[in-house]
PDB file of all heavy atoms in Angstrom:
ATOM      1  N   LEU A  15       9.752 -14.555  -9.597  1.00 90.00           N
ATOM      2  CA  LEU A  15       9.955 -13.962 -10.951  1.00 90.00           C
ATOM      3  C   LEU A  15       9.885 -15.128 -11.940  1.00 90.00           C
ATOM      4  O   LEU A  15      10.607 -16.102 -11.805  1.00 90.00           O
ATOM      5  CB  LEU A  15      11.365 -13.325 -11.051  1.00 90.00           C
ATOM      6  CG  LEU A  15      11.563 -12.491 -12.232  1.00 90.00           C
ATOM      7  CD1 LEU A  15      10.601 -11.306 -12.313  1.00 90.00           C
ATOM      8  CD2 LEU A  15      12.960 -11.942 -12.179  1.00 90.00           C
ATOM      9  N   ILE A  16       8.943 -14.999 -12.863  1.00 92.00           N
ATOM     10  CA  ILE A  16       8.580 -16.151 -13.752  1.00 92.00           C
ATOM     11  C   ILE A  16       8.822 -15.659 -15.243  1.00 92.00           C
ATOM     12  O   ILE A  16       8.234 -14.610 -15.628  1.00 92.00           O
ATOM     13  CB  ILE A  16       7.171 -16.665 -13.603  1.00 92.00           C
ATOM     14  CG1 ILE A  16       6.894 -17.008 -12.173  1.00 92.00           C
ATOM     15  CG2 ILE A  16       6.857 -17.797 -14.577  1.00 92.00           C
ATOM     16  CD1 ILE A  16       5.464 -17.144 -11.773  1.00 92.00           C
ATOM     17  N   ASP A  17       9.584 -16.429 -15.975  1.00 90.00           N
ATOM     18  CA  ASP A  17       9.801 -16.124 -17.390  1.00 90.00           C
ATOM     19  C   ASP A  17       8.748 -16.970 -18.105  1.00 90.00           C
ATOM     20  O   ASP A  17       8.797 -18.199 -18.185  1.00 90.00           O
ATOM     21  CB  ASP A  17      11.189 -16.580 -17.828  1.00 90.00           C
ATOM     22  CG  ASP A  17      11.505 -16.272 -19.313  1.00 90.00           C
ATOM     23  OD1 ASP A  17      10.502 -16.026 -20.092  1.00 90.00           O
ATOM     24  OD2 ASP A  17      12.657 -16.320 -19.658  1.00 90.00           O
ATOM     25  N   VAL A  18       7.687 -16.276 -18.596  1.00 93.00           N
ATOM     26  CA  VAL A  18       6.563 -16.986 -19.181  1.00 93.00           C
ATOM     27  C   VAL A  18       6.897 -17.710 -20.478  1.00 93.00           C
ATOM     28  O   VAL A  18       6.255 -18.592 -20.935  1.00 93.00           O
ATOM     29  CB  VAL A  18       5.350 -16.103 -19.389  1.00 93.00           C
ATOM     30  CG1 VAL A  18       4.832 -15.638 -18.081  1.00 93.00           C
ATOM     31  CG2 VAL A  18       5.658 -14.901 -20.268  1.00 93.00           C
ATOM     32  N   LYS A  19       7.971 -17.211 -21.180  1.00 94.00           N
ATOM     33  CA  LYS A  19       8.356 -17.783 -22.456  1.00 94.00           C
ATOM     34  C   LYS A  19       9.046 -19.139 -22.215  1.00 94.00           C
ATOM     35  O   LYS A  19       8.780 -20.145 -22.884  1.00 94.00           O
ATOM     36  CB  LYS A  19       9.386 -16.893 -23.164  1.00 94.00           C
ATOM     37  CG  LYS A  19       9.781 -17.342 -24.570  1.00 94.00           C
ATOM     38  CD  LYS A  19      10.581 -16.384 -25.235  1.00 94.00           C
ATOM     39  CE  LYS A  19      11.006 -16.805 -26.673  1.00 94.00           C
ATOM     40  NZ  LYS A  19      11.850 -15.856 -27.314  1.00 94.00           N
ATOM     41  N   THR A  20       9.884 -19.256 -21.285  1.00 95.00           N
ATOM     42  CA  THR A  20      10.672 -20.507 -20.996  1.00 95.00           C
ATOM     43  C   THR A  20      10.069 -21.348 -19.868  1.00 95.00           C
ATOM     44  O   THR A  20      10.413 -22.543 -19.779  1.00 95.00           O
ATOM     45  CB  THR A  20      12.151 -20.229 -20.652  1.00 95.00           C
ATOM     46  OG1 THR A  20      12.180 -19.501 -19.386  1.00 95.00           O
ATOM     47  CG2 THR A  20      12.789 -19.427 -21.774  1.00 95.00           C
ATOM     48  N   GLY A  21       9.316 -20.731 -18.988  1.00 94.00           N
ATOM     49  CA  GLY A  21       8.764 -21.468 -17.855  1.00 94.00           C
ATOM     50  C   GLY A  21       9.719 -21.493 -16.643  1.00 94.00           C
ATOM     51  O   GLY A  21       9.386 -22.099 -15.599  1.00 94.00           O
ATOM     52  N   GLN A  22      10.949 -20.851 -16.775  1.00 94.00           N
ATOM     53  CA  GLN A  22      11.863 -20.878 -15.682  1.00 94.00           C
ATOM     54  C   GLN A  22      11.389 -19.851 -14.607  1.00 94.00           C
ATOM     55  O   GLN A  22      10.798 -18.822 -14.979  1.00 94.00           O
ATOM     56  CB  GLN A  22      13.216 -20.498 -16.145  1.00 94.00           C
ATOM     57  CG  GLN A  22      13.879 -21.521 -17.084  1.00 94.00           C
ATOM     58  CD  GLN A  22      15.281 -21.128 -17.478  1.00 94.00           C
ATOM     59  OE1 GLN A  22      15.603 -20.027 -17.490  1.00 94.00           O
ATOM     60  NE2 GLN A  22      16.033 -22.135 -17.912  1.00 94.00           N
ATOM     61  N   TRP A  23      11.655 -20.124 -13.406  1.00 94.00           N
ATOM     62  CA  TRP A  23      11.233 -19.217 -12.346  1.00 94.00           C
ATOM     63  C   TRP A  23      12.258 -19.176 -11.227  1.00 94.00           C
ATOM     64  O   TRP A  23      13.112 -20.094 -11.153  1.00 94.00           O
ATOM     65  CB  TRP A  23       9.834 -19.574 -11.859  1.00 94.00           C
ATOM     66  CG  TRP A  23       9.809 -21.007 -11.265  1.00 94.00           C
ATOM     67  CD1 TRP A  23       9.604 -22.114 -11.975  1.00 94.00           C
ATOM     68  CD2 TRP A  23       9.898 -21.365  -9.887  1.00 94.00           C
ATOM     69  NE1 TRP A  23       9.612 -23.215 -11.141  1.00 94.00           N
ATOM     70  CE2 TRP A  23       9.807 -22.807  -9.849  1.00 94.00           C
ATOM     71  CE3 TRP A  23      10.126 -20.702  -8.720  1.00 94.00           C
ATOM     72  CZ2 TRP A  23       9.932 -23.496  -8.657  1.00 94.00           C
ATOM     73  CZ3 TRP A  23      10.228 -21.343  -7.533  1.00 94.00           C
ATOM     74  CH2 TRP A  23      10.105 -22.732  -7.497  1.00 94.00           C
ATOM     75  N   GLU A  24      12.243 -18.126 -10.425  1.00 92.00           N
ATOM     76  CA  GLU A  24      13.116 -17.991  -9.309  1.00 92.00           C
ATOM     77  C   GLU A  24      12.347 -17.209  -8.245  1.00 92.00           C
ATOM     78  O   GLU A  24      11.583 -16.320  -8.490  1.00 92.00           O
ATOM     79  CB  GLU A  24      14.394 -17.263  -9.775  1.00 92.00           C
ATOM     80  CG  GLU A  24      15.379 -16.971  -8.658  1.00 92.00           C
ATOM     81  CD  GLU A  24      16.603 -16.218  -9.055  1.00 92.00           C
ATOM     82  OE1 GLU A  24      16.737 -15.933 -10.226  1.00 92.00           O
ATOM     83  OE2 GLU A  24      17.420 -15.886  -8.164  1.00 92.00           O
ATOM     84  N   ILE A  25      12.652 -17.535  -7.009  1.00 93.00           N
ATOM     85  CA  ILE A  25      12.128 -16.868  -5.856  1.00 93.00           C
ATOM     86  C   ILE A  25      13.265 -16.255  -5.113  1.00 93.00           C
ATOM     87  O   ILE A  25      14.296 -16.852  -4.899  1.00 93.00           O
ATOM     88  CB  ILE A  25      11.308 -17.794  -4.910  1.00 93.00           C
ATOM     89  CG1 ILE A  25      10.087 -18.224  -5.570  1.00 93.00           C
ATOM     90  CG2 ILE A  25      10.964 -17.019  -3.649  1.00 93.00           C
ATOM     91  CD1 ILE A  25       9.247 -19.307  -4.805  1.00 93.00           C
ATOM     92  N   PHE A  26      13.132 -14.947  -4.775  1.00 90.00           N
ATOM     93  CA  PHE A  26      14.143 -14.355  -3.900  1.00 90.00           C
ATOM     94  C   PHE A  26      13.513 -13.415  -2.948  1.00 90.00           C
ATOM     95  O   PHE A  26      12.413 -12.996  -3.113  1.00 90.00           O
ATOM     96  CB  PHE A  26      15.245 -13.580  -4.715  1.00 90.00           C
ATOM     97  CG  PHE A  26      14.736 -12.460  -5.562  1.00 90.00           C
ATOM     98  CD1 PHE A  26      14.859 -11.197  -5.065  1.00 90.00           C
ATOM     99  CD2 PHE A  26      14.230 -12.692  -6.772  1.00 90.00           C
ATOM    100  CE1 PHE A  26      14.403 -10.088  -5.767  1.00 90.00           C
ATOM    101  CE2 PHE A  26      13.793 -11.561  -7.567  1.00 90.00           C
ATOM    102  CZ  PHE A  26      13.899 -10.296  -7.111  1.00 90.00           C
ATOM    103  N   VAL A  27      14.207 -13.183  -1.874  1.00 91.00           N
ATOM    104  CA  VAL A  27      13.776 -12.260  -0.713  1.00 91.00           C
ATOM    105  C   VAL A  27      14.732 -11.155  -0.594  1.00 91.00           C
ATOM    106  O   VAL A  27      15.813 -11.249  -0.112  1.00 91.00           O
ATOM    107  CB  VAL A  27      13.704 -12.999   0.543  1.00 91.00           C
ATOM    108  CG1 VAL A  27      13.156 -12.121   1.712  1.00 91.00           C
ATOM    109  CG2 VAL A  27      12.742 -14.254   0.451  1.00 91.00           C
ATOM    110  N   PRO A  28      14.359  -9.896  -1.061  1.00 88.00           N
ATOM    111  CA  PRO A  28      15.199  -8.785  -0.937  1.00 88.00           C
ATOM    112  C   PRO A  28      15.358  -8.315   0.620  1.00 88.00           C
ATOM    113  O   PRO A  28      14.527  -8.851   1.438  1.00 88.00           O
ATOM    114  CB  PRO A  28      14.488  -7.625  -1.613  1.00 88.00           C
ATOM    115  CG  PRO A  28      13.271  -8.239  -2.212  1.00 88.00           C
ATOM    116  CD  PRO A  28      13.060  -9.576  -1.752  1.00 88.00           C
ATOM    117  N   GLU A  29      16.224  -7.552   0.885  1.00 89.00           N
ATOM    118  CA  GLU A  29      16.458  -7.057   2.169  1.00 89.00           C
ATOM    119  C   GLU A  29      15.224  -6.395   2.777  1.00 89.00           C
ATOM    120  O   GLU A  29      14.554  -5.612   2.020  1.00 89.00           O
ATOM    121  CB  GLU A  29      17.620  -6.101   2.321  1.00 89.00           C
ATOM    122  CG  GLU A  29      18.190  -5.793   3.652  1.00 89.00           C
ATOM    123  CD  GLU A  29      19.423  -5.005   3.639  1.00 89.00           C
ATOM    124  OE1 GLU A  29      20.329  -5.297   2.832  1.00 89.00           O
ATOM    125  OE2 GLU A  29      19.547  -4.083   4.457  1.00 89.00           O
ATOM    126  N   ALA A  30      14.878  -6.586   4.019  1.00 92.00           N
ATOM    127  CA  ALA A  30      13.790  -5.893   4.610  1.00 92.00           C
ATOM    128  C   ALA A  30      13.979  -4.369   4.767  1.00 92.00           C
ATOM    129  O   ALA A  30      15.054  -3.948   4.927  1.00 92.00           O
ATOM    130  CB  ALA A  30      13.446  -6.461   6.066  1.00 92.00           C
ATOM    131  N   ILE A  31      12.862  -3.657   4.619  1.00 92.00           N
ATOM    132  CA  ILE A  31      12.907  -2.206   4.735  1.00 92.00           C
ATOM    133  C   ILE A  31      12.239  -1.834   6.078  1.00 92.00           C
ATOM    134  O   ILE A  31      11.145  -2.305   6.363  1.00 92.00           O
ATOM    135  CB  ILE A  31      12.145  -1.612   3.582  1.00 92.00           C
ATOM    136  CG1 ILE A  31      12.640  -2.082   2.220  1.00 92.00           C
ATOM    137  CG2 ILE A  31      12.217  -0.017   3.675  1.00 92.00           C
ATOM    138  CD1 ILE A  31      14.019  -1.563   1.888  1.00 92.00           C
ATOM    139  N   GLU A  32      12.900  -0.959   6.867  1.00 92.00           N
ATOM    140  CA  GLU A  32      12.360  -0.510   8.182  1.00 92.00           C
ATOM    141  C   GLU A  32      12.174   0.931   8.226  1.00 92.00           C
ATOM    142  O   GLU A  32      12.872   1.696   7.500  1.00 92.00           O
ATOM    143  CB  GLU A  32      13.271  -0.981   9.318  1.00 92.00           C
ATOM    144  CG  GLU A  32      13.413  -2.451   9.468  1.00 92.00           C
ATOM    145  CD  GLU A  32      14.192  -2.788  10.723  1.00 92.00           C
ATOM    146  OE1 GLU A  32      14.455  -1.974  11.527  1.00 92.00           O
ATOM    147  OE2 GLU A  32      14.509  -3.991  10.815  1.00 92.00           O
ATOM    148  N   HIS A  33      11.193   1.421   9.053  1.00 86.00           N
ATOM    149  CA  HIS A  33      10.952   2.873   9.206  1.00 86.00           C
ATOM    150  C   HIS A  33      10.456   3.065  10.611  1.00 86.00           C
ATOM    151  O   HIS A  33       9.652   2.382  11.147  1.00 86.00           O
ATOM    152  CB  HIS A  33       9.997   3.384   8.215  1.00 86.00           C
ATOM    153  CG  HIS A  33       9.751   4.806   8.196  1.00 86.00           C
ATOM    154  ND1 HIS A  33       8.731   5.339   8.853  1.00 86.00           N
ATOM    155  CD2 HIS A  33      10.517   5.823   7.673  1.00 86.00           C
ATOM    156  CE1 HIS A  33       8.840   6.687   8.695  1.00 86.00           C
ATOM    157  NE2 HIS A  33       9.924   6.978   7.997  1.00 86.00           N
ATOM    158  N   ASP A  34      10.898   4.143  11.261  1.00 86.00           N
ATOM    159  CA  ASP A  34      10.427   4.572  12.584  1.00 86.00           C
ATOM    160  C   ASP A  34       9.602   5.824  12.432  1.00 86.00           C
ATOM    161  O   ASP A  34       9.947   6.745  11.614  1.00 86.00           O
ATOM    162  CB  ASP A  34      11.595   4.874  13.541  1.00 86.00           C
ATOM    163  CG  ASP A  34      12.434   3.665  13.920  1.00 86.00           C
ATOM    164  OD1 ASP A  34      11.846   2.528  13.872  1.00 86.00           O
ATOM    165  OD2 ASP A  34      13.575   3.804  14.209  1.00 86.00           O
ATOM    166  N   ALA A  35       8.549   5.983  13.202  1.00 79.00           N
ATOM    167  CA  ALA A  35       7.718   7.146  13.213  1.00 79.00           C
ATOM    168  C   ALA A  35       7.239   7.385  14.553  1.00 79.00           C
ATOM    169  O   ALA A  35       7.004   6.494  15.400  1.00 79.00           O
ATOM    170  CB  ALA A  35       6.603   6.957  12.182  1.00 79.00           C
ATOM    171  N   ILE A  36       6.940   8.695  14.789  1.00 76.00           N
ATOM    172  CA  ILE A  36       6.226   9.133  16.098  1.00 76.00           C
ATOM    173  C   ILE A  36       4.898   9.689  15.654  1.00 76.00           C
ATOM    174  O   ILE A  36       4.770  10.471  14.733  1.00 76.00           O
ATOM    175  CB  ILE A  36       7.100  10.131  16.745  1.00 76.00           C
ATOM    176  CG1 ILE A  36       8.432   9.491  17.208  1.00 76.00           C
ATOM    177  CG2 ILE A  36       6.379  10.664  18.049  1.00 76.00           C
ATOM    178  CD1 ILE A  36       9.397  10.484  17.873  1.00 76.00           C
ATOM    179  N   SER A  37       3.850   9.323  16.427  1.00 74.00           N
ATOM    180  CA  SER A  37       2.503   9.850  16.038  1.00 74.00           C
ATOM    181  C   SER A  37       1.824  10.281  17.346  1.00 74.00           C
ATOM    182  O   SER A  37       2.050   9.838  18.399  1.00 74.00           O
ATOM    183  CB  SER A  37       1.723   8.809  15.329  1.00 74.00           C
ATOM    184  OG  SER A  37       1.495   7.626  16.144  1.00 74.00           O
ATOM    185  N   ALA A  38       0.778  11.092  17.098  1.00 74.00           N
ATOM    186  CA  ALA A  38      -0.146  11.573  18.179  1.00 74.00           C
ATOM    187  C   ALA A  38      -1.499  10.859  18.003  1.00 74.00           C
ATOM    188  O   ALA A  38      -1.834  10.395  16.883  1.00 74.00           O
ATOM    189  CB  ALA A  38      -0.297  13.069  18.069  1.00 74.00           C
ATOM    190  N   GLY A  39      -2.238  10.816  19.016  1.00 68.00           N
ATOM    191  CA  GLY A  39      -3.563  10.174  18.909  1.00 68.00           C
ATOM    192  C   GLY A  39      -4.447  10.733  17.872  1.00 68.00           C
ATOM    193  O   GLY A  39      -5.176   9.989  17.197  1.00 68.00           O
ATOM    194  N   TYR A  40      -4.447  12.092  17.732  1.00 65.00           N
ATOM    195  CA  TYR A  40      -5.332  12.735  16.711  1.00 65.00           C
ATOM    196  C   TYR A  40      -4.993  12.351  15.313  1.00 65.00           C
ATOM    197  O   TYR A  40      -5.865  12.194  14.490  1.00 65.00           O
ATOM    198  CB  TYR A  40      -5.161  14.244  16.908  1.00 65.00           C
ATOM    199  CG  TYR A  40      -6.033  15.056  16.021  1.00 65.00           C
ATOM    200  CD1 TYR A  40      -7.438  15.091  16.233  1.00 65.00           C
ATOM    201  CD2 TYR A  40      -5.518  15.835  15.049  1.00 65.00           C
ATOM    202  CE1 TYR A  40      -8.239  15.859  15.409  1.00 65.00           C
ATOM    203  CE2 TYR A  40      -6.308  16.563  14.175  1.00 65.00           C
ATOM    204  CZ  TYR A  40      -7.613  16.590  14.403  1.00 65.00           C
ATOM    205  OH  TYR A  40      -8.435  17.333  13.532  1.00 65.00           O
ATOM    206  N   THR A  41      -3.693  12.165  14.974  1.00 65.00           N
ATOM    207  CA  THR A  41      -3.273  11.876  13.602  1.00 65.00           C
ATOM    208  C   THR A  41      -2.790  10.440  13.438  1.00 65.00           C
ATOM    209  O   THR A  41      -2.159  10.140  12.396  1.00 65.00           O
ATOM    210  CB  THR A  41      -2.201  12.853  13.147  1.00 65.00           C
ATOM    211  OG1 THR A  41      -1.098  12.767  14.046  1.00 65.00           O
ATOM    212  CG2 THR A  41      -2.702  14.232  13.163  1.00 65.00           C
ATOM    213  N   ARG A  42      -2.916   9.537  14.393  1.00 67.00           N
ATOM    214  CA  ARG A  42      -2.270   8.236  14.369  1.00 67.00           C
ATOM    215  C   ARG A  42      -2.710   7.423  13.194  1.00 67.00           C
ATOM    216  O   ARG A  42      -1.869   6.875  12.475  1.00 67.00           O
ATOM    217  CB  ARG A  42      -2.633   7.462  15.627  1.00 67.00           C
ATOM    218  CG  ARG A  42      -1.853   6.172  15.682  1.00 67.00           C
ATOM    219  CD  ARG A  42      -1.692   5.645  17.093  1.00 67.00           C
ATOM    220  NE  ARG A  42      -0.785   6.566  17.828  1.00 67.00           N
ATOM    221  CZ  ARG A  42      -1.157   7.097  19.064  1.00 67.00           C
ATOM    222  NH1 ARG A  42      -2.267   6.839  19.644  1.00 67.00           N
ATOM    223  NH2 ARG A  42      -0.287   7.929  19.605  1.00 67.00           N
ATOM    224  N   GLU A  43      -3.990   7.356  12.828  1.00 72.00           N
ATOM    225  CA  GLU A  43      -4.407   6.510  11.707  1.00 72.00           C
ATOM    226  C   GLU A  43      -3.819   6.923  10.418  1.00 72.00           C
ATOM    227  O   GLU A  43      -3.307   6.196   9.634  1.00 72.00           O
ATOM    228  CB  GLU A  43      -5.937   6.530  11.674  1.00 72.00           C
ATOM    229  CG  GLU A  43      -6.432   5.543  10.587  1.00 72.00           C
ATOM    230  CD  GLU A  43      -7.972   5.457  10.627  1.00 72.00           C
ATOM    231  OE1 GLU A  43      -8.621   5.930  11.553  1.00 72.00           O
ATOM    232  OE2 GLU A  43      -8.448   4.975   9.546  1.00 72.00           O
ATOM    233  N   SER A  44      -3.819   8.236  10.163  1.00 76.00           N
ATOM    234  CA  SER A  44      -3.238   8.761   8.923  1.00 76.00           C
ATOM    235  C   SER A  44      -1.710   8.609   8.865  1.00 76.00           C
ATOM    236  O   SER A  44      -1.146   8.330   7.867  1.00 76.00           O
ATOM    237  CB  SER A  44      -3.692  10.127   8.652  1.00 76.00           C
ATOM    238  OG  SER A  44      -3.215  11.047   9.588  1.00 76.00           O
ATOM    239  N   SER A  45      -1.127   8.811  10.097  1.00 75.00           N
ATOM    240  CA  SER A  45       0.304   8.615  10.139  1.00 75.00           C
ATOM    241  C   SER A  45       0.702   7.196   9.837  1.00 75.00           C
ATOM    242  O   SER A  45       1.685   6.949   9.175  1.00 75.00           O
ATOM    243  CB  SER A  45       0.782   9.052  11.519  1.00 75.00           C
ATOM    244  OG  SER A  45       2.143   8.841  11.698  1.00 75.00           O
ATOM    245  N   ASP A  46      -0.059   6.234  10.417  1.00 79.00           N
ATOM    246  CA  ASP A  46       0.239   4.799  10.182  1.00 79.00           C
ATOM    247  C   ASP A  46       0.118   4.438   8.743  1.00 79.00           C
ATOM    248  O   ASP A  46       0.921   3.735   8.227  1.00 79.00           O
ATOM    249  CB  ASP A  46      -0.655   3.951  11.026  1.00 79.00           C
ATOM    250  CG  ASP A  46      -0.454   3.951  12.466  1.00 79.00           C
ATOM    251  OD1 ASP A  46       0.630   4.604  12.887  1.00 79.00           O
ATOM    252  OD2 ASP A  46      -1.221   3.462  13.255  1.00 79.00           O
ATOM    253  N   GLN A  47      -1.007   4.995   8.097  1.00 84.00           N
ATOM    254  CA  GLN A  47      -1.178   4.665   6.650  1.00 84.00           C
ATOM    255  C   GLN A  47      -0.053   5.265   5.756  1.00 84.00           C
ATOM    256  O   GLN A  47       0.333   4.689   4.841  1.00 84.00           O
ATOM    257  CB  GLN A  47      -2.585   5.173   6.263  1.00 84.00           C
ATOM    258  CG  GLN A  47      -3.651   4.453   6.871  1.00 84.00           C
ATOM    259  CD  GLN A  47      -3.612   2.896   6.605  1.00 84.00           C
ATOM    260  OE1 GLN A  47      -3.382   2.490   5.470  1.00 84.00           O
ATOM    261  NE2 GLN A  47      -3.871   2.101   7.643  1.00 84.00           N
ATOM    262  N   SER A  48       0.381   6.484   6.160  1.00 87.00           N
ATOM    263  CA  SER A  48       1.467   7.140   5.445  1.00 87.00           C
ATOM    264  C   SER A  48       2.741   6.265   5.597  1.00 87.00           C
ATOM    265  O   SER A  48       3.527   6.164   4.644  1.00 87.00           O
ATOM    266  CB  SER A  48       1.666   8.511   5.980  1.00 87.00           C
ATOM    267  OG  SER A  48       0.580   9.365   5.769  1.00 87.00           O
ATOM    268  N   GLN A  49       2.968   5.797   6.768  1.00 86.00           N
ATOM    269  CA  GLN A  49       4.155   4.960   6.982  1.00 86.00           C
ATOM    270  C   GLN A  49       4.141   3.650   6.173  1.00 86.00           C
ATOM    271  O   GLN A  49       5.131   3.252   5.622  1.00 86.00           O
ATOM    272  CB  GLN A  49       4.281   4.641   8.522  1.00 86.00           C
ATOM    273  CG  GLN A  49       5.592   4.024   8.892  1.00 86.00           C
ATOM    274  CD  GLN A  49       5.736   3.800  10.405  1.00 86.00           C
ATOM    275  OE1 GLN A  49       4.800   3.837  11.125  1.00 86.00           O
ATOM    276  NE2 GLN A  49       6.890   3.471  10.834  1.00 86.00           N
ATOM    277  N   VAL A  50       2.965   3.039   6.142  1.00 89.00           N
ATOM    278  CA  VAL A  50       2.806   1.863   5.336  1.00 89.00           C
ATOM    279  C   VAL A  50       2.995   2.125   3.856  1.00 89.00           C
ATOM    280  O   VAL A  50       3.727   1.420   3.157  1.00 89.00           O
ATOM    281  CB  VAL A  50       1.422   1.244   5.555  1.00 89.00           C
ATOM    282  CG1 VAL A  50       1.197   0.062   4.595  1.00 89.00           C
ATOM    283  CG2 VAL A  50       1.274   0.651   6.971  1.00 89.00           C
ATOM    284  N   ALA A  51       2.491   3.197   3.344  1.00 91.00           N
ATOM    285  CA  ALA A  51       2.631   3.601   1.964  1.00 91.00           C
ATOM    286  C   ALA A  51       4.104   3.892   1.637  1.00 91.00           C
ATOM    287  O   ALA A  51       4.661   3.442   0.572  1.00 91.00           O
ATOM    288  CB  ALA A  51       1.756   4.837   1.665  1.00 91.00           C
ATOM    289  N   LEU A  52       4.820   4.571   2.554  1.00 91.00           N
ATOM    290  CA  LEU A  52       6.208   4.863   2.366  1.00 91.00           C
ATOM    291  C   LEU A  52       7.058   3.574   2.336  1.00 91.00           C
ATOM    292  O   LEU A  52       7.902   3.329   1.461  1.00 91.00           O
ATOM    293  CB  LEU A  52       6.730   5.734   3.509  1.00 91.00           C
ATOM    294  CG  LEU A  52       8.233   6.011   3.536  1.00 91.00           C
ATOM    295  CD1 LEU A  52       8.583   6.876   2.351  1.00 91.00           C
ATOM    296  CD2 LEU A  52       8.595   6.694   4.802  1.00 91.00           C
ATOM    297  N   LEU A  53       6.700   2.642   3.217  1.00 92.00           N
ATOM    298  CA  LEU A  53       7.482   1.332   3.220  1.00 92.00           C
ATOM    299  C   LEU A  53       7.206   0.561   1.974  1.00 92.00           C
ATOM    300  O   LEU A  53       8.183  -0.014   1.399  1.00 92.00           O
ATOM    301  CB  LEU A  53       6.997   0.468   4.432  1.00 92.00           C
ATOM    302  CG  LEU A  53       7.649   0.862   5.753  1.00 92.00           C
ATOM    303  CD1 LEU A  53       6.949   0.160   6.896  1.00 92.00           C
ATOM    304  CD2 LEU A  53       9.103   0.542   5.760  1.00 92.00           C
TER     305      LEU A  53
END
């Protein structure tokens, strides 16, 4: 996060977000993409 007016900046790491999903071979690719979008 950078304040462009003052030049001050800070780096932080928020808590990780996790998600579990079950998929079938037929829909696996779209299921994976949906899971990534949700995360």
